[in-house]
Amino acid sequence: MIIAVIGESNARPHIAELAEEVGRELARRRIDLVCGGMDGVMEAACRGAKSEGGRTIAILAGSDPQQANDYVDFPILTGLGYARNVIVVKTGMAVIAVGGAYGTLSEIGHALAEDIPVIGLETWTLTRSGEPPDAAITIASDPTDAVEKAVRAAEDRLRAFERSRLSSG
Amino acid sequence: MIIAVIGESNARPHIAELAEEVGRELARRRIDLVCGGMDGVMEAACRGAKSEGGRTIAILAGSDPQQANDYVDFPILTGLGYARNVIVVKTGMAVIAVGGAYGTLSEIGHALAEDIPVIGLETWTLTRSGEPPDAAITIASDPTDAVEKAVRAAEDRLRAFERSRLSSG
Amino acid sequence: MIIAVIGESNARPHIAELAEEVGRELARRRIDLVCGGMDGVMEAACRGAKSEGGRTIAILAGSDPQQANDYVDFPILTGLGYARNVIVVKTGMAVIAVGGAYGTLSEIGHALAEDIPVIGLETWTLTRSGEPPDAAITIASDPTDAVEKAVRAAEDRLRAFERSRLSSG
Amino acid sequence: MIIAVIGESNARPHIAELAEEVGRELARRRIDLVCGGMDGVMEAACRGAKSEGGRTIAILAGSDPQQANDYVDFPILTGLGYARNVIVVKTGMAVIAVGGAYGTLSEIGHALAEDIPVIGLETWTLTRSGEPPDAAITIASDPTDAVEKAVRAAEDRLRAFERSRLSSG
């Protein structure tokens, strides 16, 4: 199972710590991590995953494998620029957002538009004009809670893929 | 000059009215409109533009030109699914967001990540954890104000492209 | 109706002449032209189209509208690099290949893989190992013949889209 | 190091055998394999790689991880349709083409356009109008020869990335 970790590339220190612990916790459960492969939250999550023997995939915006941070096992070279954000969230069976800038916001939007579950740790709050804050992002209390919620949501999605395959086959 | 109009495909009536007036106002100023080509805000904006003799471009997710709404002059077929959202906002020299669901949110994120100006009419409010609401979206009071603010921001961007071309050439 | 013109950006003179005449002939028939927006065949075809009052769309690899050649009406900014080639051929209801380098070859491959008709003027000949040359590219004798063959193939495709819409609706 | 294997999804038996041996040979050298993740050459190459303990990455056109063949370790979900072909060849430091239909042709075109080395086993021969057959595809005599040639070319590219990083850093 693959889970996506998204977040700011210019990470504030406490956000990077949260991301690193998310990476460790995913690896302890033998879950593969996919991210955008750059700095900040992405690097911290990959470092955490590798420290526990996990496997890390980077969906890179450019064409050079050495743009990936030092903790990436599989650099995927898209050359698509920011459009690669869509691939990051689609490849995860669930998405964990840690902190976040505007690129993260685009990833949250893509994920929610395609019914991919998003678990948030100190990330964006979204409010549509004249309504209470949107509840589509599942708020986690800490990295372990985020991973638990993400795994449960990802297992539900994998079962739905399985059912739709059985019914169509 | 091309300006992007983004917003919900399942548009509430007053949101569709705002979008149609945005389309009319763009066409009166001889500005071309780009959008995702589907229903709701996109269709209303195209209808408004055509009613004033404007020109409309649709960046479609699929492969069939007849998926575009009836007011599209130029259907661009990407086959990219939601990743086409990136092209919608990049093609506009500025972006006007009217209402909005999660796809719109992804477009706002992409635009802000690439410093493309976003003007909002009853759209998302964004708040990063523990901070006051983000001020990156310029709020407009009505469709005419939105178009005026978008045109001014777009002219600034075109001048910046021009300057960077002169200095590099 | 939109037809795509593809070909080498570093065009040999007689190839550029063929492309310019293709552009003129498309415009005389009130057909819009889509291409990759750069130099060589793309520029020559756009120049021909504009000389006859046609309309030209460029699917650009980058993010700057001023990268388009001087004869482009609608610069579509993808930021996708070479992946934008797929959009060029999909947006055309048929494709006319004039001369061609490797980028053109990728476009021919994408078109044929999706059953988009390809008409060739002095372009690649393709041979699968141990077989006679592939006949999937329709060879044209001159620019007028190329446009005639492309229009006929494009009309067939539009009718097929229409039929599939009627039968599904 | 990652190397891409491309080829027809409707593989003739002797082509599938070549692809399976390519997969085995890559895995014996501890090289990771990337492909489009579907049937035919892609499945045979993945099966070969897994039989020797290799690791396999699939760049999928759709959104369902279960569309991948049974020998894929890492399904990357792009939702981009055929545009995903670009990512397959960019992710490989070199590309091995085995047999091939039109999708393969588009991948060969993309690779050559970006100077990514292509090694061919019973694949397309390309001839530009009025010229002798193009020599850009390196012809291999058998799967072991293909892998050897691909590894050598890939090592050259990695060194070039390294050099450009050192000189820019």
Side-chain angles (χ1 to χ4, degrees):
Chain A
M1 184 192 290
I2 303 177
I3 283 181
V5 178
I6 63 177
E8 60 209 49
S9 59
N10 229 320
R12 295 157 286 172
H14 77 285
I15 294 290
E17 278 169 41
L18 290 173
E20 187 161 352
E21 180 57 21
V22 165
R24 277 195 294 264
E25 189 61 30
L26 286 169
R28 285 182 201 119
R29 297 170 188 238
R30 310 262 66 84
I31 291 167
D32 299 320
L33 182 158
V34 67
C35 71
M38 303 305 283
D39 301 331
V41 159
M42 298 168 268
E43 181 169 18
C46 289
R47 190 171 51 233
K50 294 312 295 177
S51 75
E52 293 284 343
R55 301 189 297 188
T56 57
I57 303 162
I59 311 293
L60 292 164
S63 302
D64 178 350
Q66 303 184 354
Q67 289 173 331
N69 69 58
D70 290 342
Y71 308 97
V72 167
D73 294 322
F74 302 98
I76 308 298
L77 300 173
T78 72
L80 299 179
Y82 276 107
R84 70 84 146 83
N85 289 5
V86 181
I87 304 176
V88 173
V89 296
K90 288 177 79 78
T91 296
M93 284 302 101
V95 175
I96 300 174
V98 189
Y102 298 126
T104 314
L105 186 66
S106 78
E107 293 171 313
I108 291 173
H110 277 299
L112 296 178
E114 301 207 41
D115 284 326
I116 299 169
V118 178
I119 318 299
L121 272 171
E122 303 205 18
T123 190
W124 291 97
T125 299
L126 314 170
T127 313
R128 281 180 91 185
S129 175
E131 298 184 11
D134 190 282
I137 300 175
T138 301
I139 306 300
S141 55
D142 60 46
T144 304
D145 185 44
V147 170
E148 258 163 32
K149 286 182 157 76
V151 169
R152 221 170 310 139
E155 286 172 345
D156 285 351
R157 269 189 89 210
L158 278 173
R159 271 191 293 268
F161 278 123
E162 184 81 24
R163 271 195 305 273
S164 83
R165 189 169 63 150
L166 290 175
S167 70
S168 73
Chain B
M1 184 193 289
I2 303 177
I3 284 183
V5 179
I6 63 175
E8 60 208 49
S9 59
N10 228 320
R12 295 156 287 171
H14 77 286
I15 293 291
E17 276 168 42
L18 291 172
E20 187 162 351
E21 181 57 20
V22 165
R24 277 194 295 265
E25 190 60 30
L26 287 170
R28 285 184 202 119
R29 296 168 189 239
R30 309 261 67 84
I31 291 166
D32 299 319
L33 182 159
V34 67
C35 70
M38 302 305 283
D39 302 330
V41 160
M42 297 169 268
E43 181 169 17
C46 288
R47 191 171 50 233
K50 294 311 296 177
S51 74
E52 294 283 343
R55 300 187 298 187
T56 56
I57 303 163
I59 311 294
L60 293 165
S63 302
D64 179 351
Q66 303 184 353
Q67 289 173 332
N69 69 58
D70 290 343
Y71 309 96
V72 167
D73 294 322
F74 301 98
I76 308 299
L77 301 172
T78 71
L80 299 179
Y82 276 108
R84 71 83 146 82
N85 289 6
V86 181
I87 304 176
V88 173
V89 297
K90 286 177 79 80
T91 296
M93 284 302 101
V95 176
I96 300 175
V98 190
Y102 298 125
T104 314
L105 184 67
S106 78
E107 292 171 313
I108 291 173
H110 277 300
L112 297 177
E114 301 207 41
D115 284 325
I116 299 169
V118 178
I119 318 299
L121 273 172
E122 304 204 18
T123 191
W124 292 98
T125 299
L126 314 171
T127 313
R128 280 180 93 185
S129 175
E131 298 183 11
D134 190 282
I137 300 176
T138 301
I139 305 300
S141 56
D142 59 46
T144 304
D145 185 45
V147 170
E148 259 162 33
K149 288 182 156 76
V151 170
R152 221 169 311 139
E155 286 170 345
D156 286 350
R157 269 189 88 209
L158 278 172
R159 272 192 293 269
F161 278 124
E162 185 80 24
R163 271 195 305 274
S164 83
R165 191 171 60 151
L166 290 175
S167 70
S168 72
Chain C
M1 183 193 288
I2 304 176
I3 284 183
V5 178
I6 63 177
E8 58 209 51
S9 59
N10 227 320
R12 295 156 287 171
H14 77 286
I15 293 291
E17 277 169 42
L18 290 173
E20 188 162 350
E21 180 57 21
V22 165
R24 277 195 294 263
E25 188 62 30
L26 286 170
R28 286 183 201 118
R29 297 168 189 240
R30 310 260 67 84
I31 291 166
D32 299 319
L33 183 158
V34 67
C35 70
M38 302 305 282
D39 303 330
V41 160
M42 298 169 268
E43 182 169 19
C46 289
R47 190 171 51 231
K50 293 313 294 176
S51 75
E52 293 283 343
R55 303 188 294 189
T56 57
I57 304 162
I59 311 294
L60 293 164
S63 302
D64 178 351
Q66 303 183 357
Q67 290 174 330
N69 68 59
D70 289 343
Y71 308 96
V72 167
D73 294 322
F74 302 100
I76 308 299
L77 301 172
T78 72
L80 300 179
Y82 276 108
R84 69 84 147 83
N85 288 6
V86 181
I87 304 177
V88 173
V89 296
K90 288 178 77 81
T91 296
M93 284 301 101
V95 175
I96 300 174
V98 190
Y102 298 126
T104 314
L105 185 68
S106 79
E107 293 171 313
I108 291 174
H110 278 299
L112 296 179
E114 301 207 42
D115 285 325
I116 299 169
V118 178
I119 319 298
L121 272 171
E122 304 206 16
T123 190
W124 292 98
T125 298
L126 314 170
T127 312
R128 281 180 92 184
S129 174
E131 297 184 11
D134 190 283
I137 300 176
T138 301
I139 305 301
S141 55
D142 59 45
T144 305
D145 185 44
V147 170
E148 259 163 33
K149 286 182 158 76
V151 170
R152 221 170 310 139
E155 286 172 345
D156 286 350
R157 269 189 88 211
L158 279 172
R159 272 193 292 270
F161 278 124
E162 185 80 23
R163 271 196 306 275
S164 84
R165 190 171 61 151
L166 291 176
S167 71
S168 73
Chain D
M1 184 193 288
I2 303 178
I3 284 182
V5 178
I6 62 176
E8 59 209 51
S9 60
N10 228 320
R12 294 156 288 171
H14 77 286
I15 293 291
E17 276 169 42
L18 291 172
E20 187 161 351
E21 181 57 19
V22 165
R24 277 195 294 264
E25 188 62 29
L26 287 169
R28 285 183 202 119
R29 295 167 190 241
R30 309 263 65 86
I31 291 167
D32 298 319
L33 182 159
V34 67
C35 70
M38 303 304 284
D39 302 330
V41 159
M42 297 169 267
E43 182 169 18
C46 288
R47 189 171 52 233
K50 293 313 295 177
S51 74
E52 293 284 344
R55 301 189 296 187
T56 58
I57 303 162
I59 311 294
L60 292 165
S63 302
D64 178 351
Q66 303 184 356
Q67 289 174 331
N69 69 57
D70 291 343
Y71 308 97
V72 167
D73 293 323
F74 301 99
I76 308 299
L77 300 173
T78 71
L80 299 178
Y82 276 107
R84 69 83 146 82
N85 288 6
V86 181
I87 305 175
V88 173
V89 296
K90 287 177 77 78
T91 296
M93 284 303 100
V95 175
I96 300 174
V98 190
Y102 298 126
T104 314
L105 185 66
S106 78
E107 293 171 313
I108 290 173
H110 277 300
L112 296 178
E114 301 206 43
D115 284 325
I116 299 168
V118 178
I119 318 299
L121 271 172
E122 304 205 16
T123 190
W124 292 97
T125 298
L126 314 170
T127 313
R128 281 180 93 185
S129 175
E131 298 184 10
D134 190 282
I137 301 176
T138 301
I139 306 300
S141 56
D142 59 46
T144 304
D145 184 44
V147 170
E148 258 162 33
K149 286 181 158 77
V151 170
R152 221 169 310 138
E155 286 172 345
D156 285 350
R157 270 189 87 211
L158 279 173
R159 271 192 293 268
F161 278 123
E162 185 79 24
R163 271 195 307 273
S164 83
R165 191 170 61 151
L166 290 176
S167 71
S168 73

